[in-house]
Amino acid sequence: MKMISAKPTDPFQIAIIKSNFNTIITTRLLDGAKQRLLERDFSDEQITIVEVPGAIEIPLVAQHLAKSKNYLALIVLGVVIRGETSHYDYVCDQVSQGCQRVSLDHDVPVIFGVLTTENRQQALARCGGTHGHKGIEAVDAAIEMVSVLQQLPS
């Protein structure tokens, strides 16, 4: 029986795509992710950060980065907060499906660090508050996924 699980891996080229909408929250997510990458021995030269206007723009940039084959993992960071209209549902659906499509089409982990919350307080609780830090968790998930994929047969 062969067990495949995440093992420590050497740092690699990684990209983070950050939405600038709700920038106070997304900046906190990015700061946590950058700090965690440095803790995991990534250098500044191994980290690419791309900023986009909003969450809906994330999948297109993820696709371009994945097609470049320069990165072993992508992390997407953003926040979509429910409002009074159905706009929230459309944005969440498009962003999540777009990121999944990029991951499957290009064989690269796209770690979904886009918060989808009912209100601003829930979002703040997930970027260093009572519900942890999703930017940090996204980095750990990216590293684990690269490790697992490296162990799978081609």
Side-chain angles (χ1 to χ4, degrees):
M1 179 183 301
K2 183 174 184 177
M3 175 72 167
I4 296 176
S5 61
K7 296 191 231 180
T9 184
D10 292 330
F12 47 85
Q13 293 295 317
I14 190 167
I16 300 172
I17 304 166
K18 173 196 162 282
S19 165
N20 283 329
F21 198 78
N22 290 308
T23 192
I24 291 171
I25 296 164
T26 60
T27 298
R28 288 183 187 183
L29 291 170
L30 177 62
D31 289 346
K34 289 189 305 189
Q35 182 60 41
R36 185 65 174 151
L37 285 167
L38 295 175
E39 290 169 2
R40 300 286 299 257
D41 296 325
F42 283 75
S43 68
D44 287 338
E45 293 75 30
Q46 293 170 305
I47 305 166
T48 298
I49 298 168
V50 180
E51 294 185 345
V52 298
I56 204 78
E57 291 79 26
I58 289 171
L60 179 60
V61 172
Q63 179 175 288
H64 277 269
L65 294 172
K67 282 168 62 173
S68 77
K69 305 244 186 258
N70 291 332
Y71 306 97
L72 293 186
L74 306 175
I75 296 172
V76 300
L77 301 174
V79 62
V80 184
I81 299 172
R82 187 177 297 279
E84 296 177 8
T85 69
S86 58
H87 180 73
Y88 169 90
D89 298 310
Y90 293 110
V91 172
C92 293
D93 188 50
Q94 289 180 32
V95 176
S96 63
Q97 286 190 31
C99 290
Q100 180 184 36
R101 186 173 131 204
V102 169
S103 184
L104 295 174
D105 288 351
H106 298 283
D107 281 336
V108 63
V110 178
I111 306 303
F112 197 75
V114 177
L115 304 179
T116 55
T117 63
E118 296 295 317
N119 55 55
R120 182 178 166 88
Q121 292 73 27
Q122 288 178 351
L124 290 168
R126 287 158 177 79
C127 59
T130 57
H131 287 281
H133 200 296
K134 300 307 177 189
I136 293 170
E137 292 173 20
V139 167
D140 291 340
I143 293 169
E144 289 180 31
M145 282 301 298
V146 167
S147 172
V148 167
L149 291 172
Q150 288 174 339
Q151 296 173 67
L152 295 175
S154 299

